[in-house]
Amino acid sequence: MPLSEREKMAAGDWYRCLDDELAEMRMAARRAVFTHNSTAPDDRGNITPDLLALLGSAAPDARIEAPFHCAYGCHIHLGAQVFINAGCVFLDSADIRIGAGSMLGPTVQIYCPQHHTDPSLRKDGLEIARPVQIGENVWVGGGAIILGGVTIGDNAIIGAGAVVTRDVPANVTVVGNPARPIERR
């Protein structure tokens, strides 16, 4: 029996994102995100129950500010004391794992899917998903973009507006587009 598009996505194979099962999963995420984003700050807490139930895992003290957007939610894993600032977008067609104590500034974007380079296959929704791993105590500056397949080591700093296309070793600061290491002062 052939694999479903969801199974292909989970296996890291090429899959068609224009699929009924995946569309239902994205709709469930939209509903949970809508509730989170429209709940009054005094009532929201760290993460609203609907969004928390959708996530793959989250420590009790992980916090997601509103507004927030994710594609599926179920592939997001947040360690202790993770802070996600306002306006972040996670296209989590693969796992996004963020280690304890890491902080993401406003409007950080994490993109796991990569569309096909062939225009006819791209038109049909063919894409592949690559995971993102962010270590512990990482600081990601506002407006940074992290592409799929990237691993960021513990204690790294991603400068505001950086576009991270390659792995970042532990204890390294990167800035720019594409992100490149600089020496810390």
Side-chain angles (χ1 to χ4, degrees):
M1 179 174 208
L3 295 176
S4 71
E5 299 306 311
R6 180 181 184 178
E7 291 168 328
K8 291 177 195 174
M9 181 175 75
D13 296 333
W14 289 97
Y15 64 95
R16 297 200 184 290
C17 62
L18 306 175
D19 172 75
D20 290 342
E21 181 181 17
L22 294 177
E24 288 176 25
M25 291 173 65
R26 289 189 299 269
M27 184 55 75
R30 283 189 204 106
R31 288 185 194 106
V33 164
F34 176 81
T35 300
H36 180 81
N37 291 340
S38 61
T39 299
D42 291 338
D43 299 330
R44 185 171 44 243
N46 286 336
I47 305 172
T48 56
D50 287 354
L51 183 55
L52 187 59
L54 183 75
L55 298 179
S57 63
D61 57 356
R63 183 172 184 83
I64 299 176
E65 291 290 346
F68 173 73
H69 175 80
C70 63
Y72 296 97
C74 59
H75 301 123
I76 298 170
H77 304 273
L78 307 176
Q81 297 181 328
V82 165
F83 180 77
I84 310 297
N85 212 326
C88 290
V89 173
F90 290 7
L91 300 186
D92 63 308
S93 47
D95 277 355
I96 296 173
R97 294 184 179 277
I98 302 175
S102 291
M103 301 181 298
L104 279 65
T107 70
V108 168
Q109 301 166 62
I110 301 176
Y111 301 146
C112 293
Q114 175 184 329
H115 299 284
H116 205 285
T117 56
D118 180 309
S120 62
L121 295 174
R122 187 170 54 245
K123 179 181 160 217
D124 290 337
L126 198 63
E127 63 185 35
I128 194 164
R130 300 287 186 229
V132 170
Q133 175 79 36
I134 299 174
E136 294 185 359
N137 302 310
V138 172
W139 174 22
V140 181
I145 298 172
I146 302 169
L147 299 185
V150 166
T151 296
I152 299 172
D154 294 345
N155 307 310
I157 297 174
I158 310 302
V163 178
V164 183
T165 61
R166 297 181 184 165
D167 290 353
V168 177
N171 305 303
V172 169
T173 297
V174 298
V175 299
N177 180 5
R180 298 193 189 282
I182 62 168
E183 288 190 36
R184 288 190 191 176
R185 293 181 189 184

